[in-house]
């Protein structure tokens, strides 16, 4: 490090060090994720006391340029992202989980994405498929073949409803699942997230009520809340949404629709039983409420027999069905679809057009070409094998490492499992400790529309190899041990920020 310090300058040495690092980060010499030298080594290098370096690092951290991890070092953050978010801490975790929330559920999603890129951190936080399972080579071939075949057509403007051969293909896939639709009943969307948004926009106005499971997919909460919708939650148990409670809720409010994830529910992993599906469809008819069914993980079943979708049971009157190729194939191509009832088709297509004109024509064509080649079923079979092994690895690891009082649900499919901490433990506080040990998870409270359970967390079992899962759980177990009520380690452990701020105050005083 060629830091030139001027011992005779009026500017204190710690500020000169701080400024030097800030300058290196701003100029892109030190990139996000880069580790700063250990304070002891840098102090020796520069011929200054260690406290000078510690104070320089503490200033940098207080301003969000770097983040310290106990026992692992100090790392450069992404200051641009932090500035854009307008938050007062680089990750915003404390305000999200521990105090009144100034950060949206969607803020947590972007934080999770950001953290997942941290090189030293094992993240179980995302609801994403495994990067090592994405069929990159196959898809590159598809894109090249489509460009050769269709030329500029593949890169032209297109119809909002979507590429017709792709819609035909999807209609064929759905027929095999008992959903009989023609291509005109399908609307291609940019991921199922857009399906959620379009449905919310055409079915609700600000102030309306929508019913969801509680907990539910955090991205759905974000869409609903950002459209001014009031969300009422219906609890979930081992058989999915409590339809007995739903019945009571329906009699006390006038919801615009019911949003549900019947297969491998995000975040709990549970599957709605057939009996409850029938009752749900019945209730929707009786109360004349549309259902928005989200089938985004439905292809990822590892055991048990599949249960008919609500759309198949209903026959198309009242259920809007959304799905995508994000979990089963490639989230980055952003191709999803909606099965839409006739009475809503026109409005949804117009909404889609207003939102983004159409979904990438090249991606739609490449996907249609991929599906034509019949490769999806082979890919899904391999995914199911890999993810089932990873799920079993995580379940076994949890059983081996977690203290008594920790519970979890064994999912029959999907990507994530839901765990509850021993009595008296907070998942938000555990999160902060876990980050220091180099492991992340999704804090359960953000998935609740109201009355959040603060002791739950969601773990993605699919995205890492078995040995990485094992190491991640080892780190998590250490953080849990430390956070157990009455743990001596918890009492001893100083908060990183508090400790370093104290040392600045002492020096300034
Ligand atoms: C239940 C659920 N629905 C919808 C989505 C959105 O996915 P995409 O827009 O990639 O299809 C997700 C993503 O994690 C999800 O978990």
């Amino acid at each position: 490090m060629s830091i030139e310090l001027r011992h005779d300058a009026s500017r204190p040495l710690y500020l000169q060090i701080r400024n030097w690092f800030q300058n290196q980060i701003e100029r892109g010499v030190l990139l996000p994720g880069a580790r700063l030298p250990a304070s002891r080594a840098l102090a020796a290098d520069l011929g200054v006391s260690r406290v000078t370096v510690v104070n320089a690092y503490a200033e940098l951290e207080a301003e969000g340029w770097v983040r310290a991890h106990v026992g692992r070092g100090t790392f450069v953050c992404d200051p641009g992202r932090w500035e854009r978010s307008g938050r007062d801490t680089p990750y915003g975790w404390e305000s999200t989980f521990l105090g009144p929330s100034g950060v949206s559920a969607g803020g947590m999603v972007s934080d999770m994405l950001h953290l997942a890129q941290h090189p030293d951190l094992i993240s179980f936080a995302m609801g994403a498929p495994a990067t090592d399972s994405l069929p990159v080579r196959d898809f590159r071939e598809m894109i090249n073949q489509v460009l050769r075949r269709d030329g500029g057509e593949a890169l032209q403007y297109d119809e909002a409803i979507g590429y017709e051969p792709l819609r035909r293909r999807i209609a064929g896939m759905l027929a095999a699942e008992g959903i009989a639709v023609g291509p005109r009943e399908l609307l291609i969307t940019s991921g199922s997230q857009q399906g959620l948004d379009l449905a919310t926009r055409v079915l609700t106005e600000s102030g309306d009520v929508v019913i969801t499971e509680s907990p539910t997919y955090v991205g759905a909460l974000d869409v609903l809340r950002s459209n001014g919708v009031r969300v009422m939650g219906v609890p979930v148990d081992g058989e999915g949404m409590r339809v007995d409670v739903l019945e009571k809720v329906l009699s006390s409010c006038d919801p615009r629709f019911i949003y549900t994830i019947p297969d491998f529910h995000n975040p709990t992993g549970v599957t709605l039983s057939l009996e409850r599906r029938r009752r749900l469809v019945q209730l929707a008819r009786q109360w004349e409420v549309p259902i928005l069914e989200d089938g985004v993980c439905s292809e990822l079943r590892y055991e048990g027999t599949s249960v008919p979708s609500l759309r198949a049971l209903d026959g198309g009157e009242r259920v809007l069905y959304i799905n995508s190729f994000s979990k089963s194939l490639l989230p980055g191509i952003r191709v999803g679809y909606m099965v839409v009832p006739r009475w809503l088709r026109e409005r949804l297509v117009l909404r889609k057009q207003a939102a983004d004109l159409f979904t990438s024509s090249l991606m739609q064509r490449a996907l249609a070409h991929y599906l034509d080649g019949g490769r999806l079923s082979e890919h899904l079979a391999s995914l199911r094998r890999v993810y089932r092994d990873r799920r079993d690895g995580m379940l076994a690891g949890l059983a081996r490492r977690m203290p008594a009082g920790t519970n979890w649900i064994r999912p029959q499919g999907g990507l994530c499992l839901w765990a509850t901490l021993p009595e008296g433990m907070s998942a938000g506080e555990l999160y902060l400790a876990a980050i220091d040990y180099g492991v992340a998870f999704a804090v359960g409270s953000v998935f609740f529309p109201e009355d959040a359970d603060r002791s739950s967390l969601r773990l993605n079992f699919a995205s890492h190899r078995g040995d990485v899962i094992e190491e991640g759980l080892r780190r998590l177990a250490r953080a849990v041990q430390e956070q157990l009520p009455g743990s001596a380690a918890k009492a001893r452990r100083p908060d990183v920020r508090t400790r370093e701020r104290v040392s600045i105050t002492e020096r300034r005083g």
Side-chain angles (χ1 to χ4, degrees), residues 127 190-193 196 217 259 261 266 294 296 324 326-327 334:
S190 299
S192 49
Q193 186 72 18
L196 258 162
Y217 167 49
Y259 168 69
I261 312 159
N266 182 359
D294 185 337
V296 89
S324 76
S326 292
K327 313 294 179 180
R334 308 305 302 135

Side-chain angles (χ1 to χ4, degrees), residues 88-249:
D88 61 354
T89 62
Y91 293 105
W93 292 108
E94 292 85 342
S95 51
T96 308
F97 306 128
L98 303 179
S101 174
V103 179
S104 72
M108 196 198 77
V109 174
S110 61
D111 280 348
M112 290 195 304
L113 276 165
H114 185 70
L115 274 176
Q117 286 157 14
H118 199 295
D120 290 336
L121 191 105
I122 297 174
S123 177
F124 297 131
M126 291 294 295
T131 308
D132 64 6
S133 71
L134 305 180
V136 178
R137 199 166 340 131
D138 278 357
F139 213 72
R140 187 176 58 215
E141 241 174 68
M142 297 301 115
I143 291 174
N144 287 334
Q145 286 173 15
V146 161
L147 285 172
R148 271 199 295 275
R149 186 192 68 192
D150 299 349
E153 284 296 307
L155 298 165
Q156 255 303 0
Y157 283 103
D158 216 336
E159 276 190 291
I161 191 167
Y163 183 56
E164 211 263 347
L166 176 62
R167 285 184 286 120
R168 253 190 290 120
R169 266 264 148 227
I170 294 171
M173 285 167 46
L174 288 172
E177 292 168 29
I179 301 180
V181 284
R184 286 215 67 76
E185 287 160 88
L186 285 166
L187 167 64
I188 301 295
T189 55
S190 299
S192 49
Q193 186 72 18
Q194 186 176 51
L196 258 162
D197 189 57
L198 297 177
T200 304
R201 284 171 190 271
V202 301
L203 291 172
T204 69
E205 286 175 11
S206 182
D208 281 343
V209 171
V210 164
I211 295 177
T212 70
E213 281 124 354
S214 178
T216 188
Y217 167 49
V218 73
L221 288 177
D222 220 35
V223 164
L224 295 167
R225 287 174 180 153
S226 62
N227 280 290
V229 168
R230 285 188 299 131
V231 186
M232 293 195 65
V234 172
V236 167
D237 66 14
E239 279 187 65
M241 185 194 279
R242 291 268 311 271
V243 285
D244 56 326
V245 178
L246 172 68
E247 197 169 351
K248 293 197 185 98
V249 174

Side-chain angles (χ1 to χ4, degrees), residues 356-407:
D356 63 355
L357 299 182
F358 63 97
T359 294
S360 163
S361 187
L362 176 60
M363 291 304 152
Q364 290 191 62
R365 283 163 195 253
L367 176 60
H369 194 39
Y370 181 88
L371 297 176
D372 278 342
R375 300 186 196 199
L376 184 62
S377 52
E378 200 184 304
H379 175 68
L380 277 172
S382 136
L383 272 192
R384 290 184 192 117
R385 267 195 312 276
V386 172
Y387 291 172
R388 185 182 49 229
D389 285 353
R390 291 180 180 182
R391 177 202 61 174
D392 292 347
M394 184 170 273
L395 289 169
L398 286 170
R400 245 194 339 271
R401 295 187 182 277
M402 289 299 143
T406 317
N407 295 303

